[in-house]
Amino acid sequence: MRKIIAATFVSLDGVMQAPGGPEEDPVGGFKFGGWTFHYWDDAMGAFMGETFGKPFDLLLGRKTYDIFAAHWPYQDNDPIAESFNAVTKYVATHRHDTLTWNNSRSLGADVVATLRKLKQEDGPDLLIQGSSDLIQTLLANDLIDEVSLLIFPLVLGKGKRLFGNGTLPSALKLTHSQASSTGVIMATYERGGEIKVGSFAPEKPSEAEIERRKNWK
């Protein structure tokens, strides 16, 4: 079986929009494009190298696909470009006839059904890059198996967020974590089952507590 892995840059308040530059995605008046630029160090490079060093195919929304297709085929002597250009690109799009980047395939009209089928097949894992809209669809349908985050020490206030309102509640298990010299937390999470709840409240609540509960019901 193949896993779907979301490898994403996020701010502390969960924004993932336009990490690479001002022209990447200014939708909604987003003014902080390129917010990751000044944080890179060797530890982050090694973490990304490990991510891209394993066999993978790319899973992309149409907007991210267009950004990548206008960039990576034109980068010489870049190992990431070599990988991205060579692997299969699965794209959520209604315009399959405009997928000009080599080894690109449309996910078809029913993205969820196609991905459920792909996950059952043999092959490399499906690695999501960017693609905030597609990620919302995958989260709402419980299709993401692993989340690999680079969490940057800044608050952006508004922008496209990783976990939207349609995200299904679930627990996650931390499998790897480290920090860069610039304060970026690199963390990998796998599925952790259902959310378990409990209570620190005393078995016999006070009269004041009972009254408080009445007020919010």
Side-chain angles (χ1 to χ4, degrees):
M1 292 181 61
R2 309 169 77 172
K3 293 192 298 183
I4 293 180
I5 302 171
T8 308
F9 306 143
V10 293
S11 63
L12 279 176
D13 55 339
V15 174
M16 59 178 293
Q17 185 171 351
E23 296 81 19
E24 183 177 337
D25 184 9
V27 170
F30 189 71
K31 299 179 180 179
F32 301 108
W35 46 272
T36 68
F37 183 82
H38 293 287
Y39 290 91
W40 286 94
D41 70 356
D42 290 341
M44 294 170 65
F47 183 80
M48 296 300 295
E50 183 176 347
T51 298
F52 297 132
K54 302 172 185 177
F56 68 91
D57 286 333
L58 283 173
L59 177 56
L60 303 171
R62 183 61 203 238
K63 292 178 182 178
T64 299
Y65 174 85
D66 287 341
I67 292 169
F68 281 17
H71 176 76
W72 292 114
Y74 307 98
Q75 306 306 306
D76 296 326
N77 301 316
D78 186 315
I80 294 179
E82 292 177 4
S83 294
F84 281 12
N85 291 329
V87 302
T88 299
K89 278 73 72 174
Y90 293 98
V91 188
T93 181
H94 298 294
R95 296 175 287 125
H96 61 87
D97 57 330
T98 60
L99 298 177
T100 57
W101 194 7
N102 61 297
N103 300 326
S104 297
R105 301 180 186 178
S106 170
L107 290 170
D110 193 335
V111 170
V112 171
T114 300
L115 287 175
R116 291 194 193 282
K117 182 178 179 181
L118 282 172
K119 287 184 68 174
Q120 297 301 316
E121 297 176 353
D122 292 330
D125 291 334
L126 302 168
L127 182 66
I128 309 169
Q129 292 282 281
S131 308
S132 59
D133 291 340
L134 176 59
I135 282 178
Q136 303 315 306
T137 298
L138 301 185
L139 288 170
N141 288 276
D142 196 27
L143 283 169
I144 295 180
D145 302 290
E146 183 177 305
V147 182
S148 182
L149 299 179
L150 277 75
I151 306 166
F152 288 74
L154 43 79
V155 176
L156 296 173
K158 69 174 185 177
K160 298 177 182 178
R161 282 177 159 76
L162 173 57
F163 297 108
N165 292 333
T167 302
L168 295 178
S170 64
L172 298 173
K173 179 175 67 174
L174 180 67
T175 60
H176 171 84
S177 66
Q178 68 183 101
S180 75
S181 63
T182 59
V184 176
I185 297 172
M186 295 160 275
T188 301
Y189 299 89
E190 295 179 351
R191 292 174 177 268
E194 297 181 355
I195 296 174
K196 299 177 181 179
V197 300
S199 177
F200 291 103
E203 184 175 345
K204 185 178 180 180
S206 67
E207 292 183 6
E209 171 62 15
I210 293 173
E211 189 64 27
R212 184 191 71 83
R213 296 178 186 180
K214 290 179 181 178
N215 291 333
W216 56 255
K217 287 183 178 180

